[in-house]
Amino acid sequence: MIKTVNLSKVFRTDEVETTALNQVTLEVKSGEFVAIMGPSGCGKSTLLNILGLLDNPSSGEYFFTDHEVSKFSEKQRARLRKENIGFVFQNFNLIDELNVFENVELPLIYLGMSSAERRKRVEEVLEQMNIIHRKKHFPLQLSGGQQQRVAVARAVVARPKMILADEPTGNLDSAHGEEVMNLLDGLNQKGTTIIMVTHSQRDAEFAQRVVRLFDGQIINENIRERVI
């Protein structure tokens, strides 16, 4: 589904040049669940931003569904992103002024979907995430675990080919964290490709493959059995 070849990202200021990614070559097949691990500052979030078409690399190639996208403009990236990728963030990134239904509906509005189809899709996914009873509540009226369930619902409502999750349990206690991981695992078992950045060894055990980064480079990859 995606492939990077010698991907590098360098951040420059007037005085400092920082290499965040250094010649990263990675392939993720459709339907895989891949965890990316490594210490803070090793390039995990930078890699996720490039894979999610939020940023371009400084050099190297990035193939997304067989298209080389490393030099795409923001407009081109945005179009591919909204049609193919869902995001789950550590800090939920819900809009406080919108209720649960409206937060989940937002990606469908950007896709130009009719109001009737939007309502059907949103209610289906809220049922799936067991949060339909909170659809008129606002984010600040929800627990952290409920907010992350809403965030997962928003990520999947447009039926993306791939979900990128950046520390999805980082702000949750262990029980709510496991709940979110079970949701992601269930989505993966239905065919959604998931790439997750995490510091949690427990969360990484849900993945089929663990990629370890250090100083902007892949140092090893391990195939592992799923948690049952």
Side-chain angles (χ1 to χ4, degrees):
M1 182 172 191
I2 67 169
K3 181 181 179 181
T4 72
V5 181
N6 295 330
L7 206 68
S8 294
K9 182 66 177 180
V10 179
F11 295 100
R12 295 182 176 88
T13 66
D14 291 340
E15 299 177 356
V16 179
E17 181 175 290
T18 303
T19 300
L21 294 175
N22 186 9
Q23 304 284 304
V24 170
T25 295
L26 174 68
E27 186 169 357
V28 177
K29 293 182 171 63
S30 180
E32 270 198 286
F33 191 150
V34 175
I36 300 173
M37 302 189 75
S40 296
C42 72
K44 301 187 301 296
S45 292
T46 300
L47 178 58
L48 207 67
N49 284 342
I50 292 173
L51 297 182
L53 301 169
L54 296 170
D55 198 4
N56 278 338
S58 301
S59 62
E61 296 175 300
Y62 176 27
F63 295 89
F64 183 86
T65 59
D66 296 326
H67 299 284
E68 210 291 307
V69 300
S70 64
K71 304 294 192 301
F72 270 26
S73 68
E74 169 53 29
K75 186 176 181 179
Q76 290 172 307
R77 294 201 311 269
R79 185 173 63 252
L80 264 183
R81 200 165 56 230
K82 71 182 182 181
E83 293 173 353
N84 295 283
I85 304 173
F87 294 89
V88 179
F89 301 97
Q90 177 177 347
N91 294 320
F92 318 136
N93 284 12
L94 301 176
I95 299 173
D96 291 339
E97 293 77 20
L98 301 181
N99 65 28
V100 165
F101 185 98
E102 292 164 339
N103 265 284
V104 176
E105 181 186 33
L106 206 55
L108 304 183
I109 293 174
Y110 293 147
L111 288 172
M113 196 172 289
S114 71
S115 60
E117 180 64 18
R118 294 201 306 266
R119 186 179 308 109
K120 181 172 178 282
R121 286 270 197 105
V122 172
E123 291 187 349
E124 280 178 357
V125 78
L126 290 178
E127 286 276 10
Q128 183 183 0
M129 299 297 157
N130 195 27
I131 198 76
I132 188 73
H133 60 295
R134 299 288 191 184
K135 70 178 183 178
K136 293 187 178 179
H137 286 66
F138 291 87
L140 295 179
Q141 296 174 303
L142 305 176
S143 70
Q146 289 171 331
Q147 288 188 61
Q148 194 61 300
R149 268 190 275 165
V150 175
V152 173
R154 182 186 57 191
V156 303
V157 72
R159 300 173 185 169
K161 295 182 177 71
M162 179 169 71
I163 292 177
L164 300 182
D166 194 354
E167 300 283 0
T169 68
N171 282 336
L172 303 176
D173 60 33
S174 58
H176 285 123
E178 185 159 0
E179 182 181 89
V180 167
M181 290 308 305
N182 283 325
L183 287 174
L184 293 175
D185 184 51
L187 292 165
N188 176 247
Q189 292 195 39
K190 292 177 181 177
T192 304
T193 305
I194 297 178
I195 302 175
M196 174 183 67
V197 161
T198 184
H199 282 102
S200 166
Q201 188 61 48
R202 173 63 181 167
D203 289 357
E205 289 174 359
F206 283 83
Q208 300 152 345
R209 181 159 52 113
V210 178
V211 176
R212 295 188 182 274
L213 286 183
F214 187 77
D215 285 349
Q217 295 180 302
I218 293 175
I219 56 172
N220 64 54
E221 298 185 36
N222 295 315
I223 307 293
R224 57 176 306 112
E225 294 184 4
R226 276 185 190 276
V227 165
I228 298 175

